């Protein structure tokens, strides 16, 4: 494993991006900096504690110091309304850089060696999700739909994550927000968001070093053309219901002996004996129109050998050559897309995004800015879990994710810690964990006690 990435360095990336946000206030008494507001929100997400700022304000009043300042380098903690007013006008695009700086650091540190899929390519999943909906609360950047004569307001996001078939964690890249692009009449949609993301980011990767994974919604001619233009491979879920021309061709070829190749592999899955049936065909048209693109098609069906029941089926369109050797790898890569759902969206929905209840929806970008900071906080935890032996040992010992965050919340409410490293080492020491190889010189050398508050 490469050198651990330090929280200090990760925080610096976030801080520098906030420092670079243009000042939108004019002629006011600028008591709180925009950076303090951004880092305060980041701190709430990082600690997964909506009351973190309030508790630290109390600590400051009672003891003259607080953990928001020491752990997150916030000079002054803004109130809820100040935070809202400061962050609402910030364009979330200003906060894209840290995602890529952190990704580059992971890559340079050799931490992404295991993050490869078919043909040694990096697998990037792109998928949309709604992260806010309301019938009352809204802002000009909400998407609006009318159901039963009632307006429904929503915000969606296209999440981009790096994953791999054998890796549990996903690495968050910068998101693309699904917002109305040209005012209220024209609703933006996920289709446009994915194109914007590709145009903006494809150049960051060496040609043909990435495979894009996404769902059936995006398995169409314009996207395949765009991916090819940007030298990106693809494995896209390809359902029969949305690709009649392609499946018509496959069914025709099924009548020709040997035209559709089948490969059967029996596997033991726990107590169950499974039969994995791969089928594939190369160079079929993605759609029936004159202008089309030729793709390779493959599918996997899993049967329970004992009961004869089908337990899984999915099919994909890809530009990777499909052979007996590559088909298991292509299918494993395609199937790893579920991780976006499990690891990524789950975080948005269940892991601490209750900030809006305290800080409101805003009238410009607040909702998107908060979500971006949440994703950055999530990314920082992933990076530490991937690279820092001390963090890994504490998390492993505490078992459930919730226990770890409960402990973080309780400790920082009652104790003052001069920095993140001290906090983590305190947990490590109190859990009586065996020595780990020092993450880097000095990290594990000193086992500090928390400062009495
Ligand atoms: Zn809105």
């Amino acid at each position: 494993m490469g050198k651990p990435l330090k929280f200090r360095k990760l925080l610096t990336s976030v801080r520098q991006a906030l420092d670079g946000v243009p000042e939108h206030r004019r002629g006011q008494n600028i008591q709180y900096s925009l950076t303090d507001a951004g880092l305060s929100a980041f701190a709430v997400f990082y600690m997964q504690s909506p009351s973190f700022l309030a508790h630290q304000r109390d600590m400051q009043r009672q003891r003259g110091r607080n953990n928001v300042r020491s752990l997150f380098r916030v000079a002054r903690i803004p109130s809820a309304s100040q935070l809202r007013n400061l962050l609402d006008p910030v364009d979330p695009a200003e906060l894209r850089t840290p995602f890529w700086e952190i990704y580059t650091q992971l890559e340079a540190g050799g931490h992404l060696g295991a993050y490869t899929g078919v043909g040694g390519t990096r697998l990037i999943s792109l998928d949309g999700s709604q992260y806010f909906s309301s019938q009352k609360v809204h802002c000009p950047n909400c998407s609006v739909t009318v159901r039963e004569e009632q307006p429904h307001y929503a915000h969606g996001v296209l999440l981009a994550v790096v994953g791999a078939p054998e890796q549990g964690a996903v690495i968050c890249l910068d998101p693309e927000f699904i917002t109305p692009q040209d005012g209220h009449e024209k609703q933006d949609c996920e289709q446009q968001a994915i194109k914007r993301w590709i145009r903006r980011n494809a150049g960051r990767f060496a040609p043909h070093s990435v495979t894009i994974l996404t769902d059936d919604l995006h398995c169409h001619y314009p996207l395949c053309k765009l991916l090819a233009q940007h030298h990106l491979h693809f494995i896209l879920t390809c359902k029969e219901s949305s690709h009649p021309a392609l499946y018509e061709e496959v069914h025709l070829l099924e009548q020709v002996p040997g035209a559709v190749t089948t490969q059967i592999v029996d596997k033991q899955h726990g107590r169950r004996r499974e039969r994995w049936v791969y089928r594939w065909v190369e160079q079929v048209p993605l759609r029936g129109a004159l202008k089309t693109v030729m793709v390779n098609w493959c599918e996997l069906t899993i049967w329970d050998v004992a009961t004869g029941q089908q337990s899984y089926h999915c099919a994909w369109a890809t530009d990777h050559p499909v052979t007996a050797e590559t088909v298991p790898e292509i299918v494993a890569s395609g199937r790893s897309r579920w991780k976006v759902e499990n690891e990524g969206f789950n975080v948005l929905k269940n892991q601490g995004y209750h900030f809006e209840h305290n800080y409101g929806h805003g009238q410009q970008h607040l909702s998107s800015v908060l979500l971006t900071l949440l994703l950055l906080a999530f990314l920082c935890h992933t990076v530490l879990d991937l690279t820092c032996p001390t963090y890994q040992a504490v998390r492993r010992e505490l078992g459930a994710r919730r226990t770890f965050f409960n402990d973080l919340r309780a400790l920082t409410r009652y104790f003052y810690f001069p920095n993140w490293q001290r906090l983590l080492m305190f947990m490590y020491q109190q859990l009586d964990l065996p020595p780990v190889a020092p993450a880097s010189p000095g990290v594990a050398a000193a086992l500090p006690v928390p400062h009495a508050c």
Side-chain angles (χ1 to χ4, degrees):
M1 195 165 82
K3 232 172 111 178
L5 267 60
K6 290 192 178 149
F7 176 68
R8 198 174 59 234
K9 206 168 173 195
L10 304 175
L11 187 69
T12 300
S13 270
V14 179
R15 183 182 188 92
Q16 283 173 347
L18 287 162
D19 282 344
V21 174
E23 179 57 67
H24 54 77
R25 293 166 292 179
R26 289 205 179 92
Q28 293 172 21
N29 179 16
I30 298 175
Q31 198 182 1
Y32 295 92
S33 77
L34 213 142
T35 303
D36 276 352
L39 288 175
S40 296
F42 174 84
V44 168
F45 295 132
Y46 187 83
M47 303 303 281
Q48 295 198 357
S49 168
S51 47
F52 183 57
L53 301 181
H55 291 158
Q56 298 308 310
R57 239 182 261 115
D58 290 344
M59 186 187 273
Q60 179 64 36
R61 230 179 354 259
Q62 291 157 3
R63 293 148 192 178
R65 56 187 180 179
N66 71 79
N67 287 307
V68 189
R69 178 179 290 180
S70 61
L71 304 184
F72 299 95
R73 290 186 270 153
V74 171
R76 302 187 65 177
I77 308 169
S79 70
S81 66
Q82 286 155 342
L83 192 145
R84 182 171 56 239
N85 294 339
L86 281 161
L87 295 183
D88 194 24
V90 173
D91 181 350
E94 302 279 356
L95 304 177
R96 282 174 184 156
T97 314
F99 288 97
W100 293 104
E101 281 178 356
I102 294 169
Y103 177 78
T104 307
Q105 286 170 34
L106 279 173
E107 204 162 43
H111 299 290
L112 297 182
Y115 278 83
T116 52
V118 55
T121 57
R122 191 80 79 221
L123 304 178
I124 299 180
S125 299
L126 300 172
D127 266 301
S129 178
Q130 189 175 293
Y131 66 93
F132 167 82
S133 72
S134 172
Q135 283 180 264
K136 291 195 184 110
V137 179
H138 61 96
C139 74
N141 284 322
C142 277
S143 298
V144 193
T145 48
V146 178
R147 275 177 260 153
E148 292 167 2
E149 297 181 3
Q150 287 292 314
H152 288 250
Y153 303 99
H155 281 245
V157 65
L158 183 88
L159 276 192
V161 305
V162 173
E166 302 298 325
Q167 299 303 308
V170 294
I171 296 148
C172 233
L173 302 176
D174 70 327
E176 179 69 43
F177 287 95
I178 304 169
T179 51
Q181 293 294 291
D182 306 305
H184 281 286
E185 274 73 46
K186 192 181 164 200
Q187 297 287 342
D188 185 26
C189 66
E190 200 179 318
Q191 306 264 11
Q192 297 306 317
I194 198 168
K195 288 178 193 160
R196 289 197 300 275
W197 194 94
I198 287 161
R199 289 193 188 106
R200 197 175 73 237
N201 293 314
R204 296 178 186 275
F205 305 97
H208 309 292
S209 68
V210 163
T211 299
I212 297 291
L213 314 175
T214 186
D215 62 15
D216 187 71
L217 173 71
H218 303 291
C219 184
H220 51 60
Y221 171 79
L223 189 77
C224 291
K225 286 293 278 185
L226 186 73
L227 292 170
Q229 276 165 13
H230 288 89
H231 311 293
L232 298 165
H233 289 294
F234 58 84
I235 303 174
L236 312 174
T237 305
C238 181
K239 291 182 184 166
E240 181 157 8
S241 52
S242 37
H243 298 86
L246 184 147
Y247 278 86
E248 199 179 310
E249 182 83 4
V250 170
H251 295 320
L252 277 174
L253 290 168
E254 280 167 347
Q255 313 302 316
V256 182
V260 178
T261 315
T262 302
Q263 179 167 283
I264 298 170
V265 184
D266 280 0
K267 296 188 183 201
Q268 198 66 34
H269 186 88
R271 287 178 162 189
R272 248 191 9 243
R273 189 85 184 144
E274 290 180 342
R275 180 152 297 161
W276 289 40
V277 182
Y278 299 98
R279 295 199 318 139
W280 69 92
V281 58
E282 291 200 299
Q283 295 298 296
V284 281
L286 186 61
R287 64 175 185 179
L290 212 55
K291 268 174 103 180
T292 188
V293 61
M294 302 303 273
V295 296
N296 302 327
W297 171 89
C298 60
E299 70 169 8
L300 169 67
T301 313
I302 302 177
W303 302 88
D304 186 314
V305 173
T307 65
Q309 289 196 328
Q310 181 182 312
S311 59
Y312 177 84
H313 174 262
C314 195
W316 297 270
T318 179
D319 67 327
H320 284 290
V322 189
T323 65
E325 286 72 39
T326 63
V327 76
E329 219 182 4
I330 290 170
V331 165
S333 296
R335 291 183 82 191
S336 72
R337 198 180 64 79
W338 65 267
K339 289 203 170 80
V340 182
E341 206 61 51
N342 276 20
E343 300 289 322
F345 293 162
N346 193 28
V347 167
L348 299 189
K349 286 169 185 157
N350 307 320
Q351 311 281 351
Y353 191 56
H354 22 46
F355 200 73
E356 208 164 68
H357 297 306
N358 294 0
Y359 296 94
H361 188 70
Q363 278 305 304
Q364 294 178 70
H365 306 297
L366 187 64
S367 187
S368 322
V369 171
L370 295 180
L371 183 69
T372 308
L373 291 165
L374 166 74
L375 292 174
L376 282 168
F378 171 53
L379 174 62
C380 289
H381 280 292
T382 309
V383 168
L384 294 176
D385 205 9
L386 213 58
T387 74
C388 172
T390 316
Y391 184 98
Q392 288 162 358
V394 171
R395 282 294 297 269
R396 203 165 42 237
E397 181 66 17
L398 291 176
R401 183 189 177 97
R402 189 184 296 168
T403 313
F404 174 74
F405 285 102
N406 281 345
D407 285 9
L408 277 188
R409 278 191 285 271
L411 283 170
T412 51
R413 180 163 186 185
Y414 297 111
F415 293 106
Y416 169 80
F417 294 88
N419 55 51
W420 166 254
Q421 210 172 70
R422 291 282 187 102
L423 167 56
L424 194 61
M425 282 312 300
F426 175 76
M427 293 170 88
Y428 187 85
Q429 188 188 34
Q430 297 304 312
L431 288 167
D432 219 7
L433 291 168
V436 283
S440 61
V443 169
L447 294 179
V449 289
H451 291 224
C453 292

